[in-house]
Amino acid sequence: EDQVTQSPEALRLQEGESSSLNCSYTVSGLRGLFWYRQDPGKGPEFLFTLYSAGEEKEKERLKATLTKKESFLHITAPKPEDSATYLCAVQASGTASKLTFGTGTRLQVTL
Amino acid sequence: NAGVTQTPKFRVLKTGQSMTLLCAQDMNHEYMYWYRQDPGMGLRLIHYSVGEGTTAKGEVPDGYNVSRLKKQNFLLGLESAAPSQTSVYFCASTYDRRGHLPSYNEQFFGPGTRLTVL
């Protein structure tokens, strides 16, 4: 059974204070690892897909990395508008593109 | 493009009542999914469809039925609602990855339906 564990459950940062979110996974044949952002009362919004160990992708203050067992979402010099819940999900080979999600990390960035 | 839309946005039901949630997408996606999201549980897959006229069970299918009569629509039905079905429901869609680059395989989500069953 595919499993995704995210930590920490919640994270409070001051503006400009960099940190990382962790996503550990077990999957039978990883096809892709996905990061989503979810704002309160809204649906998840796609951020990144990573396909192989060693891969990195960046978008503004966010950088996602992937190893064979985990992924990190690095947030550099965050701003209050980065406050959201960040979701990690894995897609296994041959599964009709289904995703298995973690429970998310709730990030709050204060001034 | 409207993307993925869901109807209704909010609904309150009494135990035993029935209802249908509608999901529509205008991106010509082959695959569509229904999830529920509960505090501390994350997003869990209820049912999914890989094409018009086909449906399959996900992780938590009990108490729900689905239909995909048209490619752009995916309906989720609750025949006899129970308080345990109180949740936020999200619909998502994506391309059939065969014939597309991997980067086109992300799921696009709707805004959600908040359902309360009393």
Side-chain angles (χ1 to χ4, degrees):
Chain A
E1 185 178 327
D2 302 335
Q3 285 193 324
V4 178
T5 303
Q6 292 187 246
S7 62
E9 187 175 315
L11 182 62
R12 186 183 174 109
L13 299 173
Q14 286 195 322
E15 185 175 12
E17 180 185 1
S18 302
S19 187
S20 296
L21 313 183
N22 177 264
C23 172
S24 300
Y25 65 91
T26 55
V27 61
S28 53
L30 179 71
R31 186 166 193 289
L33 185 140
F34 296 74
W35 281 99
Y36 282 84
R37 169 190 170 127
Q38 186 174 23
D39 293 302
K42 296 190 175 181
E45 177 185 348
F46 172 74
L47 291 173
F48 303 108
T49 310
L50 301 166
Y51 294 99
S52 58
E55 189 175 2
E56 299 182 351
K57 286 190 177 175
E58 291 188 63
K59 180 180 180 179
E60 296 181 356
R61 294 176 293 281
L62 301 177
K63 178 180 176 180
T65 62
L66 181 66
T67 72
K68 288 187 177 180
K69 293 184 178 182
E70 57 192 351
S71 177
F72 293 94
L73 185 65
H74 307 278
I75 304 176
T76 302
K79 297 182 177 181
E81 52 262 42
D82 295 321
S83 297
T85 296
Y86 291 86
L87 303 173
C88 173
V90 295
Q91 184 180 96
S93 300
T95 59
S97 300
K98 291 186 292 181
L99 295 176
T100 299
F101 281 87
T103 53
T105 293
R106 192 170 60 255
L107 174 67
Q108 183 180 10
V109 182
T110 59
L111 293 170
Chain B
N1 278 359
V4 179
T5 58
Q6 293 183 232
T7 309
K9 289 184 171 51
F10 303 93
R11 185 74 183 268
V12 179
L13 291 179
K14 294 181 180 179
T15 297
Q17 288 184 318
S18 63
M19 78 163 294
T20 300
L21 283 68
L22 171 64
C23 175
Q25 52 93 5
D26 61 1
M27 297 173 283
N28 202 33
H29 286 169
E30 290 85 2
Y31 294 176
M32 296 186 75
Y33 311 84
W34 276 107
Y35 294 89
R36 60 178 290 172
Q37 187 174 41
D38 304 290
M41 300 291 290
L43 283 157
R44 293 181 292 167
L45 183 64
I46 304 172
H47 286 281
Y48 65 100
S49 168
V50 298
E52 183 178 318
T54 70
T55 62
K57 294 180 180 180
E59 181 185 353
V60 289
D62 294 342
Y64 305 95
N65 56 74
V66 288
S67 65
R68 184 128 180 245
L69 300 179
K70 293 182 179 181
K71 185 177 182 179
Q72 64 268 32
N73 295 338
F74 195 27
L75 278 64
L76 178 70
L78 286 73
E79 288 187 348
S80 180
S84 61
Q85 294 177 304
T86 293
S87 187
V88 182
Y89 292 86
F90 289 101
C91 176
S93 69
T94 192
Y95 295 90
D96 177 350
R97 63 179 176 82
R98 294 168 297 181
H100 290 279
L101 294 172
S103 61
Y104 288 111
N105 198 225
E106 65 269 24
Q107 291 185 15
F108 294 82
F109 282 81
T113 294
R114 185 173 296 274
L115 175 66
T116 301
V117 183
L118 303 176

